[in-house]
Amino acid sequence: MEIQRNVSEFILLGFSYDQNMQIFCFVLFLFCYVALLAGNLLILVSIRCSSLFHQPMYYFLSHLSTMDICYTSSITPKLIADLLVERKIISYGNCMLQVFTMHFFGMIEVLILTVMAFDRYAAICKPLHYLLIMNRTRCSLLLLVAWAGGAVHSFPQFFMVIRLPFCGPNEIDHYFCDIFPLLKVACSDTYITGVLVIAFSGIVALVTFIVLVVSYGTILFTLRNLSAEGRRKALSTCGSHITVVILFFGPVIFIYLRPPTTFPEDKIFALFYTIIAPMFNPLIYTLRNSEMKNAMRKIWCQTSGLNIFLAKQRGS
């Protein structure tokens, strides 16, 4: 049966029609995006240029920063550009691409967070076997599984959405193309598709969140056997991870684990997992982590020393 599609573009309604509010949002989101890029790139450079890259936790953290950049960049630049124009138009092809990349990179990020929880469990609960459990081959394999999981999660939903018929209204009450707002403007019965999206996104997010909560609960229970210094260090690291998990999974579960419908508040909650959580990740993982701060300090000192040396060479 041929898919009926008379829509070649969609109109994103965004946050507000008020010009002053749009200017405020433009400045705010531009700042957030620049901060996100700068923070995650700083983490990447600091880890790659130091011995931390050979430690499993920081190896995963560097890949999480990469996913933060890819995930947010699939949505935020378009959002920022749309705040400067009156009609926020996205072509059908770019809309479908946005659906795919958001779920692909988002699922990889979810799985990397899960792998990082497993890494902390092995480090704290199985310290004598940690290096054997989390060797580089296994770490690379876990990342490969995360990428495969992203594909398994995103492709079925992408094919479900791309087969939807769009023949009438083309206004999407959101700032990016997401599945539930698209189901609202499709000209067919989308009940089954909505249930499948809940299964692929909502239930997967909930199960993953429960696994992470149980993992960190086990870790915190094990901390009572450590020394005061060991407890402080482990709590600092795990506290960072738990904060990231709550910021990311709370809004995702709220939006996807419910009947397939949309609310005006969805756009605010979506900001948490598309912009706010990725922006705060660098702060959360660095401000409470002495090893990251030392690595960044060394990189900064080396760069400053090299600049001074080159300036002296030019002066002489």
Side-chain angles (χ1 to χ4, degrees):
M1 186 174 178
E2 187 178 352
I3 302 171
Q4 185 180 4
R5 187 180 302 132
N6 300 329
V7 172
S8 60
E9 61 184 25
F10 295 99
I11 299 173
L12 301 171
L13 298 184
F15 289 98
S16 173
Y17 292 106
D18 183 74
Q19 188 66 30
N20 292 328
M21 180 59 70
Q22 292 199 52
I23 292 173
F24 171 77
C25 289
F26 170 80
V27 174
L28 175 63
F29 296 146
L30 180 61
F31 170 79
C32 290
Y33 186 57
V34 170
L36 181 151
L37 291 178
N40 282 292
L41 286 173
L42 181 61
I43 285 182
L44 277 171
V45 172
S46 300
I47 293 176
R48 295 276 178 170
C49 298
S50 69
S51 59
L52 293 181
F53 186 67
H54 302 290
Q55 299 183 33
M57 184 180 79
Y58 298 102
Y59 177 65
F60 294 133
L61 179 56
S62 67
H63 286 275
L64 180 67
S65 292
T66 304
M67 286 304 104
D68 277 339
I69 293 172
C70 293
Y71 175 63
T72 307
S73 295
S74 67
I75 298 169
T76 310
K78 171 66 176 168
L79 165 63
I80 294 171
D82 282 345
L83 290 168
L84 297 177
V85 297
E86 185 175 348
R87 295 186 78 241
K88 302 159 180 44
I89 297 173
I90 184 170
S91 67
Y92 175 86
N94 286 337
C95 183
M96 296 300 109
L97 180 63
Q98 202 171 62
V99 169
F100 173 76
T101 54
M102 176 200 159
H103 284 272
F104 179 64
F105 292 124
M107 190 61 192
I108 295 174
E109 182 159 345
V110 165
L111 294 175
I112 290 177
L113 287 171
T114 307
V115 168
M116 291 175 74
F118 175 71
D119 171 74
R120 290 301 85 203
Y121 169 81
I124 296 170
C125 301
K126 307 285 183 182
L128 298 178
H129 302 94
Y130 175 64
L131 294 178
L132 182 64
I133 295 172
M134 300 303 294
N135 58 62
R136 183 46 63 96
T137 302
R138 185 160 293 159
C139 290
S140 299
L141 182 61
L142 287 170
L143 286 175
L144 183 62
V145 170
W147 279 81
V152 170
H153 168 79
S154 57
F155 273 109
Q157 295 188 93
F158 172 71
F159 286 125
M160 283 190 297
V161 174
I162 207 169
R163 290 184 59 82
L164 289 174
F166 297 100
C167 50
N170 65 340
E171 290 188 344
I172 299 176
D173 189 16
H174 217 303
Y175 63 89
F176 67 95
C177 286
D178 201 5
I179 297 179
F180 282 166
L182 284 169
L183 294 183
K184 197 172 181 181
V185 297
C187 52
S188 68
D189 184 7
T190 58
Y191 176 78
I192 299 299
T193 305
V195 171
L196 291 174
V197 171
I198 293 172
F200 273 106
S201 295
I203 293 178
V204 168
L206 179 63
V207 170
T208 307
F209 181 71
I210 291 172
V211 169
L212 290 172
V213 168
V214 171
S215 300
Y216 285 116
T218 305
I219 291 170
L220 293 174
F221 182 76
T222 307
L223 291 181
R224 59 188 172 77
N225 299 322
L226 299 181
S227 63
E229 178 62 22
R231 264 198 307 272
R232 186 196 63 78
K233 187 176 180 181
L235 279 172
S236 177
T237 304
C238 292
S240 303
H241 293 203
I242 292 169
T243 305
V244 170
V245 165
I246 293 172
L247 278 175
F248 187 87
F249 280 93
V252 169
I253 291 172
F254 171 79
I255 288 179
Y256 289 105
L257 196 65
R258 70 181 192 213
T261 184
T262 58
F263 299 108
E265 296 81 9
D266 288 353
K267 290 179 276 191
I268 304 299
F269 279 94
L271 285 174
F272 279 90
Y273 61 82
T274 57
I275 299 175
I276 295 174
M279 181 187 69
F280 277 111
N281 278 359
L283 294 175
I284 291 169
Y285 281 111
T286 55
L287 291 181
R288 300 183 63 187
N289 190 312
S290 58
E291 290 181 315
M292 275 300 305
K293 286 189 284 190
N294 290 334
M296 287 189 291
R297 195 176 295 116
K298 287 179 181 178
I299 296 297
W300 177 258
C301 290
Q302 288 173 0
T303 304
S304 300
L306 180 61
N307 289 335
I308 292 172
F309 174 77
L310 291 175
K312 288 182 177 179
Q313 290 292 105
R314 285 194 297 266
S316 61

